[in-house]
Every structure is written in C-alpha cells, then in structure tokens.
C-alpha cells in the first residue's frame, strides 16, 4: 500500500457482473465495504463490470440494484444515480482503457497475440501432458502480424497480453492477512479481440480513475493481485490497499456457487421470506466475530445479534476471519426467527402482505377489514414462523370462504373415531355464545377467546372425558383445514361465530355422511 492511499479520502467499491441472479457474495462484500466507508466518513461506489458479453444478462443489473437496496446497502455513486466519475458501467468506458493499452504496448510492457483458441487449448494440453507449468509460450512475442500469419493457429484479430518480467512482484500487503505471497503471474490478456478489456486491466484503470483507496474482494483473487500491482507500477498509479475476504463455503467446504446451491442467489433469500436485517447479521458473523460483552457474573459472553450500525461502529479489518466460513442455514433461520419475534406486530403484518398477495391470499388492494384481520392473525403466528413464507399457509384459512376451505389429507387422516362426537358437542356448547362475525368485539359480545376456551374445555375435556389433544384436534382441522395452525381459540375469535360454526358443521356433516 502506498503512502498516498492513507492520505486520500476513503473510497470503496463493489463491482458485480450482471451475469444472472446476483450472488450472495455481492452482498457479503458490499456490507464490509459500506461499513468501513461509513466508519471512515468515506464513499461507497457501485460499479457494473459488464465486459463479459458472452454471459451478460440484461435484467441482472436491475436485480443487483433491487437486492442491495432491499438489504439497505445503499451507494453514493453508481450507474443509476451517477456521480463525479461516471459512467459506472465498464461497457460505457471502453475509450478510457485504450490509451492505457497503447501506452503499455509502446513501452514494450505488452504485446499483441494472434493465437486462436484452438491453438491455446492444444498448448495447455501439451504442457499438462509433459507436466510442465501451464502458461502462454510467447509464440507471438516480437513478431509482426505478417510473421505470425506464417505459423499455425493464427487469428486475424489479436488480443493484447502483459509481458511479465522475470522479477515480477509476487508479494503484497493485505489488510486482513498481512504479508501475502502469490504465484508468479502468466502473460495475462488485458484486451480481448472484441475490444473489451479483461477484468485485470479494467479493474486497475477503473479503480484508479474513480479514486478507489481500498479494494475488497474474495480470496480467489489473491493469485491475480501481482498482475494488478504490476500494472499499477507500470502505469505510475498509486496502489490501493487490498483486503481479500474469506470465501463463503457450502456444507462440503466447497466455494458456494449458484449452480449447486440455490441460496447462493441473493434473490433466493428475499423469495424465501428472510428479513434483510437478519441476513446482514448472518453475513457479518460469517466473516467477523460476535460482540464480546461482560455478563452479570463478570464473565465474557458472546452476543451474536447486532445491527449494521453496531457492526459499522466496531469494524476493524484486523478482526476479519481468514478461514472460509461454512454457510450454516440453521444459524440464519435462528437469527431470522429472532428478528421476526422482535418486530412490532403492525410492521410484521406489512412485511407479510406482499407474500400473501403473491400467493393470492389477498388481493392487490386489501380492504381495511382485511388488513385489520391480518394484524390480528399476525400476532397469532409471530412466534410460530422462521421465515415470512411460512406464515402464508397459516394465514390463508382466515381469508378462505367457509365452503372453499380444503381439509388436508394428513389432517383428515389423523382424525379419531370420536371426531364426529366432538364436533357435535362443540357446536352445541358454542351455539349459545353471542357473537357476530366480521365485526369488532365490543360490550355485550361474548364471542371471545376466553369464553370459547372455557366452554369447549367444560364440554369436551370435562364433559366427554377426552384428552385435550384429541378433543381439540377435530376442531383445529375443521377451522384451519390443517394439522398445524395458529392457536385454536384465538383463531375462532378472529374468524367470528358464523364462520367457525359453518366450518365445524361442514366437517361434522362430512364425517357423518362417511360413517353411514
């Protein structure tokens, strides 16, 4: 790291490629970037590295914007909002890279290569067969296009390669790892035949042009850093500080990939109903230690729940874990459940609403009574869900017509021979209780949780002598259509007397018909 890095305003960037659903690693890097930038009073930049045109997907860029915004990882400059170093898409910066390439060619630090892909493939296979180090054999070095055309494997459109010297630097200082050694680099292609720069040139030029002081990326880029350091030195540019984060790994300790793991897609977490604050907390714990506090007994204890503001306040590169963490979904589920339980009921209802609308449980413009019922049901399910999607089947029966409620096969199958008797007794004891479905409970209305529970326990548990589980199972099935549901008596109160009685009657009659 050069001295000029420390004297410049802190500027960090994340630079994802729009090649499909955003990778969870984009959020992982972004939160560390943003935490340090905010702690130091600097800026956080979003740059789109779209030079890989073969894998480019047009809708991916918007997904990057949407998912990072969903997580609250906002940027100060980027393609969507502009900034003093625009444009922020590499495909719009092609004229920026060409002068750097021409300078390297003129100074003999780069050269044209006309080798076809087939020729390069044969070269690598031959090197591997002979157990030689793989790397470009410099067939094109020092030759004109005419001279090279006389040899096999010639392409009329050349690429440009770096000419790596024998004394190329192979060590550098890393903010997380200290002194790091990397392999001697190959003659890396820096300009492709289509005129687009490769990552290695573009990242150096863009980071310099945009004043980036700290480059944070995955540890898989350690082997490429000597190439970048060499380009900084050749071009006389100040080097940024490097921080190579540990790779996120799956349960088999392999680098996570979108091809193998659905949760490698950043959009997956939103689809599954994880809260952004829980995901940020989880990602922080993958690369950073928990908060250490003093317990009541004076002993040190770990606290794993913390928000992004606290993470930012205590951030220190020296504390970042250097060992690739295992992506433990059980820990994420635990955190998500904790954050769900901590939400105010109205806030949780608001977060559940889009999932219910997507599932067709509620329409695009819910009525005030529907929203009021949602708040009441949310309070029932809040402690029973780990993700927002888990609430959908629990809430759906409250918005289903009594005649349309489907009884799940597993719920129907667990009914005992006493179910018809239980339902008949329940209907008899509930009938005298006053109550009007769909209206707020008020003075003189007895259709309350307490009144319902008292009546049913007296009639079924005490009167029929049936154990509570067997006594209330048929009622739960009739009311919700499922084996697992929100608390029974509270559900009956929310549904109202009319719907509750209709559902109990329907199942009772079905059972009676099948027993005849």
């Amino acid at each position: 790291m050069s001295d000029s890095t420390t004297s410049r305003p802190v500027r960090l960037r994340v630079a994802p490629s729009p090649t499909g659903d955003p990778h969870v690693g984009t959020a992982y890097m972004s939160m560390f970037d943003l935490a340090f930038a905010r702690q130091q009073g600097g800026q956080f930049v979003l740059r789109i590295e779209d030079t890989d045109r073969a894998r480019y997907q047009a809708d991916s860029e918007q997904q990057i914007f949407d998912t990072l915004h969903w997580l609250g990882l906002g940027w100060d400059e980027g393609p969507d909002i502009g900034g003093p170093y625009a444009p922020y898409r590499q495909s719009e910066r092609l004229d920026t890279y060409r002068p750097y390439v021409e300078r390297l060619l003129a100074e003999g630090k780069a050269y044209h290569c006309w080798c076809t892909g087939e020729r390069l493939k044969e070269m690598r296979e031959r090197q591997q067969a002979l157990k030689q180090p793989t790397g470009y054999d410099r067939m094109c070095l020092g030759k004109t296009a005419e001279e090279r055309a006389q040899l096999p494997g010639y392409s009329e459109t050349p690429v440009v390669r770096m000419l790596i010297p024998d004394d190329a630097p192979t060590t550098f200082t890393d903010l997380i790892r200290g002194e790091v050694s990397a392999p001697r680099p190959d003659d890396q292609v820096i300009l492709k035949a289509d005129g687009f720069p490769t990552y290695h040139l573009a990242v150096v030029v863009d980071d310099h042009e945009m004043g980036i002081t700290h480059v944070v990326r995955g540890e898989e880029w350690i082997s490429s850093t000597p190439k970048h350091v060499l380009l900084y030195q050749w071009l006389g540019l100040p080097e940024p500080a490097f921080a190579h984060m540990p790779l996120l790994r799956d349960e088999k300790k392999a680098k996570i990939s979108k091809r193998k793991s659905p949760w490698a897609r950043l959009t997956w977490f939103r689809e599954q109903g994880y809260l952004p604050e829980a995901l940020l907390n989880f990602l922080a714990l993958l690369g950073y230690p928990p908060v250490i506090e003093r317990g009541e007994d004076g002993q040190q204890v770990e606290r794993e729940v913390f928000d992004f503001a606290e993470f930012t306040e205590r951030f220190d590169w020296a504390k970042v874990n250097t060992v690739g963490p295992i992506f433990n979904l059980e820990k994420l589920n635990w955190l998500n459940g904790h954050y769900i339980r901590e939400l105010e009921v109205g806030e949780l209802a608001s977060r559940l609403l889009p999932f219910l609308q997507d599932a067709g449980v509620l329409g695009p413009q819910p009525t005030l009574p529907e929203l009021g019922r949602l708040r009441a049901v949310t309070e029932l399910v809040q402690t029973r869900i780990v993700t927002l999607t888990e609430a959908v089947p629990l809430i759906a029966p409250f918005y289903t017509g009594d005649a349309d409620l489907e009884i799940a096969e597993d719920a129907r199958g667990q009914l005992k021979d006493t179910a018809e008797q239980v339902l008949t007794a329940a209907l008899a004891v509930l009938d005298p209780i006053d109550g009007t479905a769909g209206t707020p409970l008020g003075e003189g209305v007895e259709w309350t949780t307490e009144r319902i529970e008292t009546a049913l326990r007296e009639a079924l548990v005490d009167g029929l002598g049936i154990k509570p589980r067997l006594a209330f199972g048929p009622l739960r099935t009739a009311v919700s259509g499922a084996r697992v549901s929100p608390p029974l008596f509270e559900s009956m109160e929310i549904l109202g007397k009319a719907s509750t009685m209709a559902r109990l009657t329907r199942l009772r009659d079905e059972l009676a018909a099948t027993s005849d």
Side-chain angles (χ1 to χ4, degrees):
M1 180 175 64
S2 66
D3 291 337
S4 57
T5 299
T6 57
S7 61
R8 289 183 284 164
V10 167
R11 288 176 58 82
L12 295 93
R13 50 76 175 166
V14 67
S17 298
T19 54
D21 284 351
H23 195 280
V24 66
T26 297
Y28 179 57
M29 299 300 168
S30 295
M31 70 173 299
F32 281 83
D33 280 334
L34 184 60
F36 185 66
R38 294 293 177 259
Q39 183 194 72
Q40 300 295 316
Q43 287 82 44
F44 174 51
V45 179
L46 173 62
R47 185 173 71 228
I48 299 297
E49 297 193 346
D50 57 350
T51 58
D52 188 347
R53 305 311 288 179
R55 298 173 61 217
Y56 172 79
Q57 293 187 23
D59 61 343
S60 181
E61 182 178 299
Q62 188 60 49
Q63 287 183 325
I64 293 170
F65 297 159
D66 292 344
T67 49
L68 291 181
H69 277 310
W70 170 67
L71 285 167
L73 300 175
W75 47 96
D76 303 301
E77 304 166 25
D80 55 333
I81 59 177
Y85 301 99
Y88 292 90
R89 294 182 186 90
Q90 286 185 336
S91 60
E92 299 172 1
R93 299 174 59 82
L94 298 185
D95 292 343
T96 302
Y97 310 116
R98 177 62 69 172
Y100 289 93
V101 175
E102 296 297 339
R103 175 179 167 183
L104 294 174
L105 287 168
E107 295 178 357
K109 293 166 180 169
Y111 60 97
H112 287 105
C113 174
W114 292 270
C115 291
T116 62
E118 292 77 13
R119 194 257 155 185
L120 295 173
K121 179 181 178 182
E122 292 172 0
M123 176 198 72
R124 284 191 295 270
E125 291 174 348
R126 184 171 61 254
Q127 290 170 339
Q128 291 169 351
L130 297 174
K131 297 186 176 356
Q132 296 176 343
T134 55
Y136 183 59
D137 60 6
R138 294 182 172 175
M139 172 184 276
C140 295
L141 179 61
K143 294 182 176 64
T144 63
E146 293 75 16
E147 292 170 337
R148 178 62 182 84
Q150 305 305 312
L151 300 173
Y154 172 78
S155 170
E156 292 186 355
T157 308
V159 300
V160 176
R161 291 182 180 273
M162 297 173 66
L163 179 57
I164 303 296
D166 293 337
D167 60 349
T170 56
T171 62
F172 63 94
T173 300
D174 189 278
L175 290 173
I176 298 172
R177 303 163 189 273
E179 196 72 11
V180 175
S181 296
R184 182 181 181 278
D186 182 24
D187 283 8
Q188 177 68 51
V189 174
I190 55 175
L191 191 70
K192 294 179 285 188
D194 61 4
F196 278 74
T198 63
Y199 167 82
H200 302 282
L201 176 71
V203 73
V204 168
V205 171
D206 286 341
D207 284 344
H208 166 66
E209 296 266 344
M210 296 181 182
I212 301 302
T213 59
H214 295 72
V215 171
V216 183
R217 55 193 180 190
E219 63 181 304
E220 72 268 33
W221 294 107
I222 287 177
S223 61
S224 296
T225 303
K227 305 171 190 176
H228 305 161
V229 170
L230 195 58
L231 286 170
Y232 279 111
Q233 293 177 353
W234 281 350
L235 297 169
L237 308 177
E239 296 172 32
F242 292 101
H244 289 89
M245 297 288 295
L247 291 179
L248 303 179
R249 302 185 184 277
D250 62 21
E251 63 279 2
K252 296 181 180 178
K253 299 185 178 180
K255 177 185 175 182
I256 63 172
S257 68
K258 291 185 285 187
R259 182 171 54 86
K260 296 180 180 178
S261 305
W263 39 262
R265 297 186 300 110
L266 192 50
T267 52
W268 181 84
F269 298 95
R270 192 173 185 176
E271 295 164 357
Q272 295 299 310
Y274 287 97
L275 303 186
E277 54 266 48
L279 180 56
L280 284 180
N281 194 160
F282 174 69
L283 292 176
L285 286 172
L286 289 177
Y288 207 78
V291 178
I292 304 298
E293 297 178 323
R294 291 284 181 185
E296 294 181 1
D297 58 359
Q299 299 296 315
Q300 286 190 342
V301 294
E302 292 185 348
R303 173 165 57 83
E304 295 186 310
V305 177
F306 50 83
D307 61 18
F308 186 71
E310 186 175 9
F311 174 63
T312 297
E313 182 180 355
R314 68 188 184 95
F315 184 76
D316 183 351
W317 290 113
K319 293 182 180 179
V320 176
N321 180 22
T322 58
V323 179
I326 304 299
F327 209 90
N328 184 350
L329 282 179
E330 290 184 4
K331 173 60 71 66
L332 175 57
N333 288 337
W334 173 80
L335 279 169
N336 206 63
H338 170 82
Y339 277 94
I340 282 177
R341 291 189 294 275
E342 292 295 309
L343 285 177
E344 191 273 325
V345 172
E347 172 64 20
L348 178 56
S350 296
R351 299 204 195 193
L352 289 172
L353 182 57
F355 291 89
L356 295 167
Q357 290 172 320
D358 288 344
V361 175
L362 285 170
Q365 299 293 332
T367 64
L368 287 177
E370 286 177 331
L371 293 176
R373 173 169 285 197
L374 176 57
R375 182 185 177 94
V377 180
T378 297
E379 191 168 4
L380 295 188
V381 305
Q382 185 164 17
T383 61
R384 295 167 177 256
I385 59 174
V386 170
T387 62
L388 299 180
T389 52
E390 290 180 355
V392 174
L394 296 176
I395 294 176
F398 292 89
Y399 295 95
T400 303
D402 301 326
D404 298 325
L405 183 69
E406 294 185 5
I407 306 296
E409 288 303 317
D410 64 340
R412 191 183 296 272
Q414 55 90 39
L415 293 175
K416 305 301 181 185
D417 294 338
T418 56
E420 182 184 343
Q421 178 188 12
V422 165
L423 290 165
T424 299
L427 284 165
V429 76
L430 292 175
D431 185 59
I433 302 176
D434 189 19
T436 305
T439 61
L441 295 176
E443 186 178 354
V445 177
E446 295 183 304
W447 189 259
T448 64
T449 296
E450 295 77 12
R451 184 74 180 85
I452 295 167
E453 180 176 4
T454 299
L456 290 174
R457 287 190 182 277
E458 290 176 354
L460 306 181
V461 180
D462 300 334
L464 297 180
I466 301 177
K467 294 180 179 179
R469 182 176 64 84
L470 297 177
F472 302 138
L475 309 184
R476 186 183 306 279
T477 298
V479 168
S480 69
R483 291 185 63 181
V484 179
S485 70
L488 175 62
F489 312 116
E490 290 85 344
S491 297
M492 289 178 162
E493 178 182 327
I494 293 171
L495 279 170
K497 181 177 180 179
S499 282
T500 298
M501 299 295 280
R503 294 182 184 197
L504 295 179
T505 301
R506 179 186 171 201
L507 182 57
R508 190 272 312 273
D509 292 348
E510 288 180 2
L511 294 176
T514 58
S515 64
D516 292 340

